[in-house]
Amino acid sequence: MPTVPSSVQSLIGRRVLLIVAGGIAAFKTPDLVRRLRERGASVRVVLTDGGAQFVTPLTLQAVSEDTVYRDLWSLTDESAMGHIQLSRSADVVLVAPATAHILARMAHGLADDLATTVLLATDKPVLVAPAMNVRMFEHPATQANLALLASRGVGIIGPDEGAMACGEYGPGRMAEPLAIADHLAGWFAAREAPKPLASRHALVTSGPTYEPIDPVRYIANRSSGKQGHAVAASLAALGARVTLVSGPVRLPDPPGVDVVAVETAAEMLAACRAALPADIFVAAAAVADWRVEAAGQKLKKDGGGPPTLALSENPDILASLSAPSPDRPALVIGFAAETNDIVAYARAKRLRKGCDWIVANDVSPATGTFGGDRNSVYVIRADGTEEAWENLAKTEVARRLADAISNHFETGKK
Ligand code: CTP
């Protein structure tokens, strides 16, 4: 078996019950079994009849080096291990590929074959890696089933976006086996990590705001929401209850986070106020500074030249939540998007807005920060301490910020 670089998270000693349902992506499951096993997991497979149309039991038996379970009524399988026992014989149940059909059966609690019986009987956490045609994935029925399963604590991995076996393009491809194995390793690590923020409520803003000009047009900015969403995910990973108030973004909701979707700055402020009280407020959104006095009807070219847009200033959400009040979160953190004189502007901005810390970043186009995956930041705190975190993945900036927040509360306790 190939050796795994030490940089990848291990699955040593983890027992995975893999349910293979009937989608074309089932052909990738022998590779998935290999990826899980090379990280140290043991894998036991339940194969549905549909799954067996795409991958043979013999292949899965060979790569898992274990019996492949198929039949609810089989005397052999049942005598080797009953479905109840099978459902408890792992640390986690992973459904990959999770077809629209098996998701629907899970959502509705059906138990008409071994796989769904195991899923209904298990007392172990369940993760699914959806795989199906894009229309099937986007169908309200599938989306409702996924939302229901997520609300019951089922973890959802992917799907990826791309060209599909059916010739269409979009979200619905099963996440790659390597990504599923990494996700699972990260999932175990997060579950077992200490939860120093367990008793805290964190409120985070993320993404851009859209300010309407008329019913069809709006002013926006290039914020992707990647940094704010990563902060929300990192705070949740440390156990905080997180409310993420997000402008329009093309990102999945971070797991375990309550997401409130808004469009305008005014809506963002109202949603933030409604989410109070909070112990922590992180303002990572790129809030539009101005709004337009929006026209009730579409502006038309009437021969009189371009219209003049009358702008008025938006409420400053960070300044407003930083202001002294009984509801002021104990720790308020702003971001400062600057293109020059970053530190000087950020220090002044922290004082002007009244927040406790400010995370300054250079958003000049050459840095690729807006929309990109990396960030270099400079953290300025009210107690005079300052730190530079250079050239990190946005997820790493988020992790460090969440750690710093947790240290802040730990130190405050002493
Ligand atoms: N912010 C906010 N509400 C606004 C504008 C900004 O909450 N209406 C928050 C941002 O989320 C960020 C911080 O304020 O945490 C600084 O945002 P930034 O765009 O850097 O500053 P501006 O307020 O636009 O100030 P300037 O125009 O001087 O750069």
Side-chain angles (χ1 to χ4, degrees):
M1 191 157 292
T3 50
V4 180
S6 57
S7 57
V8 305
Q9 283 175 311
S10 102
L11 284 166
I12 290 170
R14 310 297 189 182
R15 298 168 308 160
V16 179
L17 184 66
L18 173 65
I19 296 185
V20 178
I24 178 74
F27 85 90
K28 294 183 181 173
T29 54
D31 188 33
L32 175 59
V33 173
R34 274 189 58 235
R35 299 297 183 182
L36 295 169
R37 292 195 67 210
E38 72 187 5
R39 279 163 178 69
S42 61
V43 184
R44 175 165 284 156
V45 179
V46 171
L47 181 64
T48 67
D49 288 347
Q53 300 290 324
F54 298 97
V55 58
T56 71
L58 197 59
T59 310
L60 289 168
Q61 185 171 312
V63 288
S64 68
E65 294 184 78
D66 200 345
T67 312
V68 170
Y69 293 84
R70 293 208 48 198
D71 187 356
L72 183 57
W73 310 112
S74 154
L75 284 176
T76 340
D77 286 1
E78 279 286 311
S79 61
M81 187 172 299
H83 61 273
I84 306 287
Q85 203 188 343
L86 191 57
S87 77
R88 313 278 159 90
S89 69
D91 302 311
V92 68
V93 182
L94 170 65
V95 186
T99 57
H101 187 53
I102 201 162
L103 291 171
R105 289 189 292 158
M106 287 170 72
H108 295 279
L110 302 189
D112 55 355
D113 65 0
L114 181 62
T116 47
T117 310
V118 162
L119 283 161
L120 203 56
T122 190
D123 58 358
K124 298 295 187 286
V126 177
L127 285 95
V128 297
M132 67 200 75
N133 165 273
V134 56
R135 301 265 170 268
M136 294 171 78
F137 179 70
E138 286 174 347
H139 195 286
T142 304
Q143 289 301 313
N145 289 335
L146 278 168
L148 184 59
L149 292 170
S151 75
R152 290 183 193 146
V154 172
I156 297 165
I157 310 172
D160 287 349
E161 194 168 317
M164 306 197 158
C166 54
E168 291 188 49
Y169 186 94
R173 272 164 63 122
M174 188 174 83
E176 289 303 324
L178 200 55
I180 297 178
D182 283 345
H183 183 104
L184 205 59
W187 178 85
F188 274 113
R191 242 168 91 85
E192 286 154 21
K195 304 282 183 228
L197 293 175
S199 55
R200 311 281 176 185
H201 178 209
L203 173 62
V204 180
T205 65
S206 182
T209 62
Y210 283 8
E211 306 296 332
I213 296 172
D214 67 15
V216 294
R217 307 180 177 95
Y218 57 84
I219 295 182
N221 61 63
R222 295 185 192 283
S223 168
S224 62
K226 284 179 185 166
Q227 188 64 80
H229 275 53
V231 169
S234 294
L235 290 168
L238 294 188
R241 174 167 78 80
V242 181
T243 307
L244 173 63
V245 179
S246 176
V249 292
R250 293 175 58 87
L251 294 173
D253 291 350
V257 165
D258 294 326
V259 181
V260 183
V262 296
E263 290 213 336
T264 65
E267 288 167 8
M268 189 171 270
L269 176 61
C272 286
R273 287 229 169 95
L276 293 176
D279 303 285
I280 302 152
F281 176 49
V282 182
V287 184
D289 290 320
W290 300 284
R291 68 178 174 279
V292 186
E293 294 312 323
Q297 290 173 330
K298 186 184 170 198
L299 297 174
K300 303 293 284 180
K301 295 188 290 295
D302 58 6
T308 307
L309 299 181
L311 300 179
S312 39
E313 195 160 324
N314 264 332
D316 191 310
I317 301 165
L318 176 59
S320 145
L321 268 68
S322 294
S325 93
D327 263 355
R328 185 193 191 276
L331 182 61
V332 177
I333 304 173
F335 272 73
E338 311 291 351
T339 54
N340 56 297
D341 299 320
I342 297 161
V343 175
Y345 275 136
R347 283 186 192 134
K349 198 172 275 184
R350 191 191 70 73
L351 293 172
R352 197 170 69 239
K353 303 218 177 199
C355 55
D356 303 302
W357 302 357
I358 201 151
V359 181
N361 51 6
D362 184 350
V363 294
S364 47
T367 62
T369 300
F370 251 45
D373 288 321
R374 298 190 79 75
N375 208 351
S376 286
V377 304
Y378 195 80
V379 183
I380 299 167
R381 299 188 179 89
D383 66 5
T385 54
E386 299 189 353
E387 270 177 79
W389 299 345
E390 301 280 352
N391 190 20
L392 299 172
K394 286 183 175 174
T395 47
E396 178 59 17
V397 169
R399 215 187 46 73
R400 287 197 190 186
L401 190 63
D403 281 347
I405 292 170
S406 138
N407 288 339
H408 171 83
F409 282 105
E410 277 299 308
T411 321
K413 267 194 236 153
K414 285 172 199 152

